[in-house]
């Protein structure tokens, strides 16, 4: 676990590293899942999806909430992505979508979540990665 990030929550690592599913719980009782999916046509391209999976949010998979824990949650996600990258060093493309909040206008070019994620991209993907952000979609590629 990287030592330069503070307030990282306890991470439940996958039993099999190739499984690519991590969990953690916040102090307020929210349970998060961070899932890495590989593209069928390119196994070196991973999609990152994360969010709250508590039953109280019935069916709203990968919802995120604001209970004053956003920085702790994001620091934990940074640690998880870095662990996945260490376990899968050949993956050279990562992507994720910043799903908009309920009631947030769809026409907005970049939602509040993407603005937050953009602040954390340099913490996850350090030297040697290029970011391409198009609205609420982020593509991160290893530079050649």
């Amino acid at each position: 676990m990287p030592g330069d990030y503070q307030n990282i929550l306890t991470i439940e690592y996958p039993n099999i590293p190739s499984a690519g599913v991590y969990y953690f719980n916040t102090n307020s009782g929210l349970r998060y899942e961070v899932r890495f999916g590989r593209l069928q046509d390119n196994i070196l391209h991973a999609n990152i999806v994360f969010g709250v999976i508590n039953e109280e949010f019935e069916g709203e998979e990968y919802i995120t909430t604001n209970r004053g824990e956003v920085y702790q949650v994001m620091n934990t996600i940074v640690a998880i992505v870095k662990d996945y990258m260490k376990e899968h060093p050949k993956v050279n493309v990562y992507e994720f979508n910043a799903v908009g909040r309920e009631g947030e206008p769809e026409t907005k070019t970049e939602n509040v979540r993407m603005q937050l994620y953009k602040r954390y991209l340099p913490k996850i993907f350090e030297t040697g990665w290029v970011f391409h952000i198009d609205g609420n979609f982020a593509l991160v590629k290893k530079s050649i």
Side-chain angles (χ1 to χ4, degrees):
M1 191 178 312
D4 56 340
Y5 298 104
Q6 296 181 13
N7 299 320
I8 295 172
L9 297 159
T10 301
I11 298 167
E12 297 171 33
Y13 294 88
N15 292 333
I16 304 167
S18 62
V21 182
Y22 298 72
Y23 297 95
F24 63 92
N25 298 309
T26 66
N27 296 328
S28 71
L30 295 176
R31 182 160 178 80
Y32 276 80
E33 178 182 75
V34 181
R35 180 178 296 270
F36 296 83
R38 300 281 189 96
L39 268 59
Q40 197 168 20
D41 61 342
N42 182 357
I43 61 168
L44 301 180
H45 185 143
N47 181 284
I48 305 169
V49 181
F50 62 90
V52 175
I53 58 170
N54 293 57
E55 286 183 22
E56 70 184 275
F57 300 105
E58 293 179 11
E60 289 296 321
E61 191 174 18
Y62 303 117
I63 190 168
T64 57
T65 67
N66 187 358
R67 294 192 178 169
E69 301 167 316
V70 67
Y71 300 113
Q72 195 172 34
V73 165
M74 292 304 295
N75 284 338
T76 304
I77 290 169
V78 167
I80 288 171
V81 175
K82 284 185 164 293
D83 181 77
Y84 185 86
M85 291 170 70
K86 183 183 77 185
E87 293 291 333
H88 303 86
K90 294 194 184 290
V91 173
N92 57 22
V93 179
Y94 290 90
E95 70 176 57
F96 60 91
N97 288 293
V99 178
R101 295 181 188 169
E102 190 174 319
E104 192 170 37
E106 296 278 330
T107 57
K108 202 172 188 182
T109 56
E110 192 176 279
N111 66 27
V112 173
R113 285 194 182 130
M114 181 53 76
Q115 291 171 14
L116 174 68
Y117 298 170
K118 279 174 54 176
R119 289 177 46 197
Y120 282 85
L121 285 176
K123 294 179 181 186
I124 298 170
F125 304 99
E126 297 171 15
T127 307
W129 293 88
V130 178
F131 313 127
H132 175 72
I133 296 169
D134 185 11
N136 298 317
F137 175 78
L139 190 68
V140 183
K141 293 182 176 183
K142 192 176 274 186
S143 59
I144 300 173

